[in-house]
Amino acid sequence: MDTVNTNDTALQEKLSFDHFRNEVLKDYRISCESRQTSLMGRKEVLTGKAKFGIFGDGKEVAQVAMAKFFKPGDFRAGYYRDQTFMFAAGMATVEQYFAQLFSDPDINNDPFSAGRQMNAHFATKNVDENGNWLDLANIKNTSSDVAPTAGQMPRALGLALASKLFRNVATFNQYSNLSDNGNEVCFCTIGDASTSEGHFWEVVNAAGVQQVPLAIFIWDDGYGISVPKQLQTTKGSISTALRGMQKTEGTNGLDIYKLKGWDYAGMCEVFEPAIQKIRDTHIPAIFHVEEITQPQGHSTSGSHERYKTPERLAWEREWDCIKQMRAWILANALAEEDELNDIEINAKLFIKESKQKAWDKYIVPIKQQVVNCTPLLSKLAEKLDGENATAVKNIAVKLSNNKEPLRREVLKALATALDISGNTADAKELSDYYQHLRAANANLYNSHLYNEGIKSALNVPVIKPYYGENAAIVNGYEVLNRYFDLLFASNDKVTAFGEDVGFIGDVNQGFSGLQAKYGDQRIFDTGIRELSIMGQGIGLALRGLRPIAEIQYIDYLLYGLQTLSDDLATTHFRTAGRQSCPMIVRTRGHRLEGIWHSGSPMGMIINSLRGMYICVPRNMVQAAGMYNTLLQSNDPALVIECLNGYRLKEKLPDNLLAFTVPLGIPEIVQEGTDVTIVTYGSTLRIVLEASTSLSKSGISCEVMDVQTLLPFDINNTIVKSLQKTNRIVFIDEDVPGGATAFMFNKVMEEQGGYKYLDVSPRTITGKAHRPSYSSDGDYFSKPNVEDVIRVVKEMMAE
């Protein structure tokens, strides 16, 4: 019979208790530090050192509780009140938080956005300096936050879906640096009022259908700025409203939990098994955390005393989570009051010290600029006479006396002095320094819209298509079907999904038969929900996969436009290159003789999706070459295939999987001498038909296919054509003032094309309304052959 050493047992119990006590006190310390960060941050805004502040006060205890169960490999998709979680998870420091509040553009000081985002918008790196994927499975990760409410929801779905695919797709198992057999959970946070957004409902529904490891934490403080939740949510409770989605035996759905935001022990007790269940089973869950308070109100823009009753304010003071956690610690004899007092005092000192360190790192480089330019200003003043000398001296004195200068104030001082001096030779030294600062600041604030290194799509080597003597001539959709078959066989990271993409192989048969060959986890169907389809793609791309996310027709891009514009297109920029998101959006558009399936909203696209590449191939071979280019880069892109080109015959290249189409390089489809015609996509065929007719009248047309709208003609190929023809017309199917106006601006203004014109340039576009139905509607709504002939003849006669 074994004996038990009671001394060993007592020691183990003591060690266990000491560990528990230390963990509790650590969480209390972090909560106090976070609260002081909020209080100090508000002061910095109100005194003018920071521009705007929005803080996580009132959510501290709930967030330290959830952070205890956030593991390496997990991802966060949150919003701008998660500072406590980030501190507790070890992904952010208080000093870094204040660096962002001050908008420090040094990535070493603000590693989340290099000062490009407002405070509490966090991000962690997913790629190294060469664009290679980090060991995401063994570090704690957060996707880059966006300010639009509920904007984090679509991306969260994709981050969770990635775990499901990593667990279930055999070819993905090899990427152990990206996932540990799909054991990662996506922690998604959202304010209760933002659950009114359609993003929330679409994603919750999709998560329940797909069964992905998504943990959604809803912070319920009773208001959406000033609007109470009774005016926000059916039944005044989001968990009550969602009851029909509760998972039961034999159904899909979600687990739903209700908790109190001041109840530290209760939340820990629920979170631990619930999150482990999500990790093990991939059943998503919602944690509705009620009775959250908001001690400082919504933000520095207003006071919550304006809309909360005295009774509500009194309740919030009494049920403040830190006050309640303090009382619980004392009631359970986990610490003496003096010990808690010391924690609170030290928290204030620590925050003050961290804030000052962040401020010094931010302000010292700017003050150095002042130190550098002040003697240059004084030196210039000595070379000037009278009022000009006095004015420049005053600029130097004013700048030198500024205790908290901004970079713009330094540049403004230099520019004003140069203007006074007439920018003569005497001002050369000052002018050189001014140009140096302009370039340096441009790099700080305007870089990384796209990848700039070896993972840039613009740096992919060009390989021409090769056609053998007996090259097959097939339908356009067969080109794509052959291409995607080769792609999925050779690139283990690629996945494709969208409405009707899986079982039937997309409505135009580009993926026909491929789901059966490569599995329903790599090529799969989704519901009719374009917004969250885009979110799925973003999340998968952030985790190192290569998603091709389909929007069935370009007309319905509007449903997904918000998350593409605010999230995908800005990811690389707003993280200063620390996160890449190489997602490809595949869609089709242009001519199909129907009001809702013939869209060409290119002006909308190019002006809302800067940060993505916009590819407009004229045929399916060109599309395949563009996919090849994009898949070798880390840049996101939209590829718009011609809807009426799938059954047109094309010659099949022998190197279908290898050849690349360079982005931003127009192709001269037909050489000519009299007029340059610039177009793309389906309209190109109309232009070529018109060109054939015009040639019979002795008019020689040079026809240019721009191939991509973003980037556009990076080598100024079009203006070189214009130098030869001295006439130019831009044609597409967008509304007047859309993409043709964009192309006009690029060639006429940026490339200086106006200098080579013999006649007024023209644009030919679709009408201002949606295209009318039927063949006649198409003819009169969009450019046709006769339009092109008429306009070109007018130009020749001018």
Side-chain angles (χ1 to χ4, degrees), residues 151-420:
Q152 68 274 25
M153 296 297 303
R155 177 195 338 128
L157 178 67
L159 291 169
L161 176 63
S163 290
K164 178 180 179 178
L165 299 186
F166 278 121
R167 179 172 292 182
N168 295 333
V169 179
T171 56
F172 294 166
N173 295 157
Q174 62 187 294
Y175 300 110
S176 58
N177 66 312
L178 301 178
S179 174
D180 176 21
N181 194 38
N183 289 321
E184 304 79 23
V185 174
C186 176
F187 285 52
C188 178
T189 62
I190 187 170
D192 180 68
S194 293
T195 64
S196 297
E197 295 277 10
H199 296 47
F200 175 83
W201 291 92
E202 185 171 319
V203 166
V204 167
N205 176 62
V209 170
Q210 293 183 311
Q211 296 291 273
V212 294
L214 178 61
I216 302 173
F217 300 84
I218 302 171
W219 311 132
D220 186 352
D221 59 25
Y223 294 85
I225 305 184
S226 67
V227 181
K229 63 181 183 179
Q230 288 74 19
L231 300 179
Q232 302 264 8
T233 307
T234 298
K235 302 182 184 300
S237 168
I238 188 61
S239 55
T240 302
L242 287 170
R243 274 182 189 163
M245 293 189 182
Q246 172 70 55
K247 182 175 174 60
T248 57
E249 188 174 352
T251 72
N252 55 23
L254 309 92
D255 289 327
I256 301 174
Y257 304 89
K258 292 180 70 170
L259 308 99
K260 304 298 183 185
W262 47 263
D263 183 4
Y264 172 81
M267 287 186 289
C268 290
E269 188 176 354
V270 171
F271 286 158
E272 184 171 20
I275 293 171
Q276 189 61 46
K277 180 182 178 183
I278 297 170
R279 202 177 296 283
D280 294 339
T281 67
H282 283 191
I283 298 170
I286 286 177
F287 300 92
H288 182 195
V289 185
E290 299 179 292
E291 298 187 15
I292 293 282
T293 66
Q294 206 168 65
Q296 295 188 119
H298 175 75
S299 71
T300 53
S301 294
S303 170
H304 61 152
E305 286 84 358
R306 292 167 51 201
Y307 54 85
K308 291 179 181 175
T309 66
E311 293 76 17
R312 171 70 190 193
L313 293 169
W315 179 89
E316 290 194 9
R317 287 189 293 272
E318 178 62 25
W319 291 94
D320 181 282
C321 63
I322 294 180
K323 181 178 180 179
Q324 290 296 320
M325 185 177 182
R326 192 183 205 278
W328 176 80
I329 292 171
L330 293 172
N332 287 275
L334 294 172
E336 298 293 333
E337 190 153 359
D338 288 347
E339 191 173 4
L340 298 184
N341 289 340
D342 288 343
I343 289 174
E344 293 156 12
I345 291 169
N346 289 332
K348 291 181 181 179
L349 294 174
F350 173 66
I351 300 313
K352 187 176 181 180
E353 178 183 313
S354 297
K355 182 268 297 183
Q356 192 59 46
K357 286 181 179 178
W359 176 253
D360 290 342
K361 289 180 179 179
Y362 164 72
I363 200 67
V364 165
I366 307 177
K367 286 187 173 181
Q368 186 60 52
Q369 292 181 10
V370 174
V371 170
N372 292 344
C373 74
T374 301
L376 297 177
L377 289 166
S378 299
K379 188 175 180 180
L380 175 62
E382 292 172 0
K383 297 178 181 180
L384 300 176
D385 298 322
E387 292 182 356
N388 288 346
T390 302
V392 173
K393 286 180 182 177
N394 289 339
I395 290 171
V397 170
K398 182 179 178 181
L399 186 61
S400 182
N401 290 338
N402 190 338
K403 294 181 180 180
E404 297 173 358
L406 297 172
R407 285 176 170 80
R408 69 176 187 180
E409 291 169 335
V410 177
L411 279 175
K412 185 175 179 64
L414 295 175
T416 304
L418 289 170
D419 189 52
I420 292 170

Side-chain angles (χ1 to χ4, degrees), residues 410-696:
V410 177
L411 279 175
K412 185 175 179 64
L414 295 175
T416 304
L418 289 170
D419 189 52
I420 292 170
S421 72
N423 208 6
T424 60
D426 290 336
K428 185 179 186 310
E429 196 173 358
L430 189 70
S431 178
D432 288 346
Y433 188 59
Y434 174 66
Q435 297 302 331
H436 164 72
L437 287 185
R438 283 193 66 195
N441 286 323
N443 185 59
L444 288 177
Y445 295 101
N446 307 127
S447 63
H448 294 99
L449 183 58
Y450 299 92
N451 275 268
E452 298 173 352
I454 60 174
K455 288 296 185 177
S456 167
L458 303 186
N459 292 330
V460 173
V462 178
I463 299 175
K464 296 287 187 181
Y466 167 73
Y467 298 92
E469 290 184 10
N470 299 313
I473 298 176
V474 297
N475 292 315
Y477 78 86
E478 293 176 296
V479 171
L480 288 176
N481 188 254
R482 183 79 60 87
Y483 169 74
F484 288 131
D485 191 1
L486 294 170
L487 175 64
F488 273 74
S490 64
N491 191 329
D492 289 336
K493 287 187 175 182
V494 177
T495 180
F497 50 88
E499 299 159 17
D500 302 303
V501 170
F503 185 71
I504 69 169
D506 93 41
V507 292
N508 295 102
Q509 302 180 66
F511 283 96
S512 180
L514 299 187
Q515 184 185 75
K517 191 171 184 179
Y518 297 103
D520 61 5
Q521 300 281 315
R522 286 190 73 191
I523 302 172
F524 56 93
D525 291 316
T526 68
I528 301 177
R529 47 176 181 81
E530 287 82 2
L531 174 73
S532 53
I533 292 171
M534 297 300 95
Q536 286 181 191
I538 293 170
L540 295 181
L542 286 172
R543 292 193 60 180
L545 295 176
R546 297 306 303 242
I548 300 174
E550 181 169 310
I551 285 184
Q552 196 164 99
Y553 299 106
I554 197 173
D555 305 71
Y556 305 122
L557 187 72
L558 277 165
Y559 282 101
L561 189 63
Q562 186 276 326
T563 199
L564 291 178
S565 181
D566 286 333
D567 200 350
L568 178 61
T570 66
T571 294
H572 199 66
F573 167 78
R574 71 179 191 269
T575 62
R578 305 199 111 197
Q579 286 191 353
S580 287
C581 194
M583 168 186 173
I584 296 175
V585 181
R586 178 190 181 220
T587 189
R588 52 193 65 84
H590 314 311
R591 304 201 165 221
L592 186 65
E593 301 185 6
I595 186 168
W596 298 118
H597 295 84
S598 53
S600 299
M602 307 309 299
M604 175 191 77
I605 289 168
I606 59 179
N607 288 305
S608 59
L609 298 182
R610 302 297 171 96
M612 293 179 66
Y613 288 126
I614 309 301
C615 303
V616 283
R618 65 181 180 267
N619 58 39
M620 305 312 154
V621 168
Q622 291 295 91
M626 290 174 180
Y627 287 124
N628 285 333
T629 299
L630 294 168
L631 286 164
Q632 293 183 52
S633 79
N634 276 355
D635 290 309
L638 173 67
V639 179
I640 305 168
E641 298 165 8
C642 295
L643 190 49
N644 61 352
Y646 290 112
R647 295 194 176 275
L648 298 180
K649 301 297 183 182
E650 297 185 44
K651 189 182 291 188
L652 191 67
D654 285 10
N655 59 342
L656 187 59
L657 196 62
F659 88 96
T660 57
V661 173
L663 307 188
I665 310 294
E667 182 176 343
I668 300 174
V669 179
Q670 176 180 291
E671 293 191 354
T673 56
D674 291 327
V675 60
T676 299
I677 304 179
V678 182
T679 189
Y680 60 86
S682 294
T683 313
L684 184 75
R685 292 192 290 276
I686 291 168
V687 168
L688 289 173
E689 184 179 343
S691 174
T692 300
S693 179
L694 287 164
S695 66
K696 296 174 183 177

